[in-house]
Amino acid sequence: MSGVGRFLRLLKQRFIGRGSEYVGIDHFGNKYYRIPQHKTWAGQNIKERRIVKALNLKEHQYESGAIPTEWEAWMKKRRNNPPTLEECIQNMNYRKEMRAKVEDLGEKTKLLQDKEGLEVGPLQTQITGHASASSYGKPERSEDPVSTANTFQPGAWMPPDRKK
């Protein structure tokens, strides 16, 4: 290929992109593209890339949940084929049903607690072991280091005062 042809191809790739193919759109309005596997002019294999062009979002504004889970699985190559519109609608309806069931269960639990006079408060955990001891078995601190590696007690030694 001549130098002019390479230059024109480079300009096309730089400004238009490397032949991205439109794959689909989600209910948020995000558009999904893929760049198929290809070889460079030097013979290097470039793997398939999957791209999302988010509606009204820049890359630094992305939040978790801005892309539906079906499309996110396709983007991360956990699935080979992009999700269909029917699949996305079915999963969205399933999520709505689950959310309604959880709210209903929460209301039933609250009514049962009110009826039986049960009150659920925060759980208290009891600290046991060496962390619960206030002074690790030594009532007063000494100025001389007396512990060895086998009997080391944290906080058992204080440096001497330098005010002499």
Side-chain angles (χ1 to χ4, degrees):
M1 180 177 270
S2 69
V4 175
R6 268 191 245 161
F7 179 72
L8 290 175
R9 190 177 74 186
L10 178 67
L11 284 177
K12 176 187 170 242
Q13 291 172 1
R14 181 76 50 146
F15 294 110
I16 298 174
R18 183 178 294 276
S20 59
E21 299 173 2
Y22 176 77
V23 176
I25 190 169
D26 64 16
H27 61 278
F28 293 128
N30 302 325
K31 294 181 180 179
Y32 298 90
Y33 298 90
R34 69 182 279 271
I35 300 173
Q37 181 177 351
H38 60 279
K39 284 189 175 186
T40 63
W41 62 271
Q44 181 183 10
N45 282 329
I46 306 295
K47 293 182 180 179
E48 177 188 51
R49 292 182 55 205
R50 297 174 179 182
I51 301 169
V52 60
K53 292 190 179 175
L55 182 72
N56 300 328
L57 282 180
K58 299 197 183 327
E59 290 177 12
H60 65 277
Q61 295 173 328
Y62 173 78
E63 294 179 12
S64 179
I67 297 176
T69 54
E70 300 86 9
W71 282 104
E72 191 167 354
W74 179 77
M75 291 286 297
K76 294 183 177 182
K77 299 181 181 177
R78 292 187 191 134
R79 58 185 294 166
N80 293 331
N81 299 323
T84 62
L85 183 61
E86 293 81 20
E87 180 184 359
C88 292
I89 291 172
Q90 180 183 4
N91 288 342
M92 191 167 42
N93 291 337
Y94 176 76
R95 285 186 207 104
K96 286 180 184 177
E97 288 177 21
M98 286 296 118
R99 199 172 297 125
K101 286 181 181 180
V102 167
E103 289 175 6
D104 186 41
L105 185 61
E107 290 174 9
K108 285 182 181 178
T109 304
K110 188 172 182 176
L111 288 174
L112 184 63
Q113 288 175 353
D114 291 342
K115 179 181 175 185
E116 295 182 6
L118 298 176
E119 192 172 316
V120 178
L123 297 175
Q124 296 289 330
T125 57
Q126 183 176 2
I127 300 172
T128 59
H130 73 279
S132 63
S134 59
S135 63
Y136 297 103
K138 286 205 163 202
E140 57 188 55
R141 298 175 186 258
S142 67
E143 291 187 2
D144 299 324
V146 292
S147 63
T148 63
N150 295 334
T151 61
F152 175 73
Q153 296 275 333
W157 178 76
M158 292 289 292
D161 289 334
R162 295 193 182 238
K163 299 178 185 177
K164 288 187 179 180

